Amino acid sequence: MASHNTDRAAALSLQLSQAHQELRSRLNDLRTGLGRRHLGDDTLAMRCLAFCDALTTHHEGEDDGMFAQLLRERPDLAETVTKLVQDHGLIASILTQVRELADRALGARGPELEAIGRELDGLAAIMESHFSYEERAIGEALDDGGDGTGWTEPVFRFEGQVRPAL
């Protein structure tokens, strides 16, 4: 029979995967919209900015919430968390570029949307690698969290921060 901690860890692992899937879906929709340009340039630029904010919020929640607590409880995950935080930095630099291009695209027509599309193509590849690794490494730790040591309990004090503010 599963313990309360095991159930909560599995639920957070699932929530993490669902948050990633939502971000994947939104990025795919945004890339499709940019490719088809079925919305106005300003609308597409605003959607780019909203996506950047959502992904940033998600990663900040992980860094300040789940990862920080997980490291306190599971120092054996330090190498994994370090890699994930480094990925967050790389992704943040791409998001900065996308934001700058989207800001320039607002109210003006020009090549910014094509440039945004190229940045988002690269971002999609990095995000997929990052999310897959995180879901395997962190998801496994969360799924195995109900080992009777109680380490998962403090991880859940930040409930809700994994979800992106979309």
Side-chain angles (χ1 to χ4, degrees):
M1 184 167 135
S3 74
H4 180 66
N5 277 351
T6 301
D7 291 344
R8 291 180 79 190
L12 186 56
S13 176
L14 179 61
Q15 185 180 4
L16 178 66
S17 294
Q18 289 171 337
H20 288 171
Q21 189 54 43
E22 178 66 22
L23 288 164
R24 286 176 177 113
S25 176
R26 288 184 182 242
L27 179 56
N28 186 52
D29 290 348
L30 182 56
R31 291 170 65 209
T32 299
L34 285 169
R36 292 185 187 155
R37 299 210 42 187
H38 65 276
L39 299 172
D41 287 0
D42 282 354
T43 301
L44 287 168
M46 292 299 290
R47 288 181 66 197
C48 286
L49 292 169
F51 174 78
C52 290
D53 289 344
L55 186 54
T56 298
T57 298
H58 171 74
H59 284 163
E60 287 172 351
E62 287 179 337
D63 292 348
D64 298 338
M66 182 174 67
F67 290 171
Q69 186 61 46
L70 200 54
L71 281 178
R72 284 191 285 278
E73 303 299 324
R74 290 281 308 269
D76 59 301
L77 295 174
E79 186 176 325
T80 298
V81 170
T82 297
K83 180 185 179 342
L84 292 169
V85 170
Q86 287 171 343
D87 285 356
H88 290 176
L90 174 63
I91 290 168
S93 68
I94 295 170
L95 293 176
T96 296
Q97 180 66 22
V98 171
R99 280 188 186 98
E100 290 171 5
L101 291 166
D103 283 339
R104 285 199 305 258
L106 287 172
R109 300 218 176 256
E112 285 84 5
L113 291 179
E114 288 82 13
I116 290 171
R118 289 189 299 274
E119 291 292 329
L120 293 180
D121 289 345
L123 177 63
I126 292 167
M127 272 179 47
E128 187 54 40
S129 173
H130 170 78
F131 285 169
S132 295
Y133 177 70
E134 183 175 336
E135 289 166 7
R136 279 189 321 273
I138 299 300
E140 183 178 302
L142 293 171
D143 290 343
D144 292 341
D147 60 3
T149 64
W151 75 265
T152 57
E153 192 60 33
V155 173
F156 300 106
R157 290 190 188 134
F158 72 94
E159 288 176 340
Q161 289 183 7
V162 172
R163 268 207 176 108
L166 298 174

